[in-house]
Amino acid sequence: MSARLQTWLWIAQRGSAMVLAVCVSVHLVTMVIAVRGGLSAAEILARTQGQLAWLIFYSVFVVTVTVHAVVGLRAVLGETLGWRGWLRDLCLGAFALLLIIVGARAVLGVFGAGQ
Amino acid sequence: MSDLHVRIWRGDAEGGFSAYQVPRQESQTVLDVVTYVQRQLDATLAYRFACRVGMCGSCAMTVNGVARWTCRTHVSKVIDDQGALEIAPLNHLPIVRDLVTDMAPFFDQWAAASGQFSGAKTRHDDFATVPPDSPARRAIDAAIECIGCGVCYASCDTVAWNPAYLGPAALNRVWTLVQDARDTATLDHLRAVSGDAGCQACHTHVSCAERCPKNISPTVGIAGLKRALTKATLKGQL
């Protein structure tokens, strides 16, 4: 992998961290308010399903989580286990795909497209 | 004054500590202790020093677990209550013998980081005018007094985890060049410090700044390089 691409990955991780700071805050505050308000899971889903805003919000959340986690894990594997090279990056690419698929299923569940 | 109980690393990487008794003296430095052992107790002890006044950067060692310049480190500052002193070679560098490390990997990183000045002027041109109070010149002033002792390199966790990492000293040097109005190879410098082994590998642990005997903060320079690298990358210059 070229140094240029490695730099782009680093920038993507910093950028995704900024977006995640907002997403995590919104998610946690919303959950706390909803749960303390006495809403059940079914009642929460009834409010999110069909709402385009929540679809966009959680789609952004899943994409940024995927970018941030995979790039961060890449550094952790290299520095902690000494695992570097194309095989590590290939495995991380597969892990990114897994996160996107699992995340997309959850987002579609919140939006109600799977109903 | 009672004797010092000194343990000194002997041999190569597979070696171990040997114990010595050294008379305690007033205003005694760690380098004085090592010199006493070599001249009075065991002439085969290998260590490195030159100026003895904190200018050359050649006498750095690990003293009670911390990388220090030994010529300017008073024994009273580092011994524990029992008067014990443990002296070892610098971390993260191959041990040649006893307290002598091979500094080649450290200085090779300066070359790999493009730590050389590139100017456009010749001796026939007029002097460049650099305002002393300009932000760039001030940034250089804060970073330029590095003596190449390797203390920051030996103290850096990232160097331990990522042997290809250029290290605080080399990156600090490049930071002074990127800030230098006379240097014409800024993008080449940034290209050299990009990637997994470059400035973005720094975790900002600040060990380099804490341990630097010249009170330089390579962390500040590395943060500056990250900003410059990000801007140049986003502008498509690299």
Side-chain angles (χ1 to χ4, degrees), chain B residues 8-12 16 18 20 30-31 33-39 41-49 58-62 70 87-90 94-102:
Chain B
I8 296 180
W9 185 268
R10 303 304 307 267
D12 56 16
S18 295
Y20 304 91
V30 175
L31 184 61
V33 171
V34 177
T35 300
Y36 179 89
V37 172
Q38 200 265 346
R39 294 189 181 167
L41 304 178
D42 187 347
T44 65
L45 175 65
Y47 68 113
R48 188 187 282 130
F49 76 98
S58 60
C59 70
M61 302 169 198
T62 306
T70 55
I87 306 170
L90 286 178
I95 301 171
V96 177
R97 185 162 69 87
D98 301 341
L99 300 172
V100 178
T101 51
D102 180 4

Side-chain angles (χ1 to χ4, degrees), chain B residues 5 12 43 70 72 75 86 89 118 125 153 177 179 206 211 217 229:
Chain B
H5 304 284
D12 56 16
T70 55
R72 299 292 299 272
V75 168
E86 187 179 271
S118 297
D125 295 315
Y153 192 82
L177 295 172
Q179 291 297 303
V206 204
R211 304 269 171 86
S217 177
L229 181 63

Side-chain angles (χ1 to χ4, degrees), chain A residues 19-39:
Chain A
V19 177
L20 275 177
V22 176
C23 288
V24 170
S25 300
V26 170
H27 175 74
L28 287 179
V29 168
T30 308
M31 287 300 105
V32 168
I33 290 173
V35 171
R36 288 177 71 86
L39 291 179

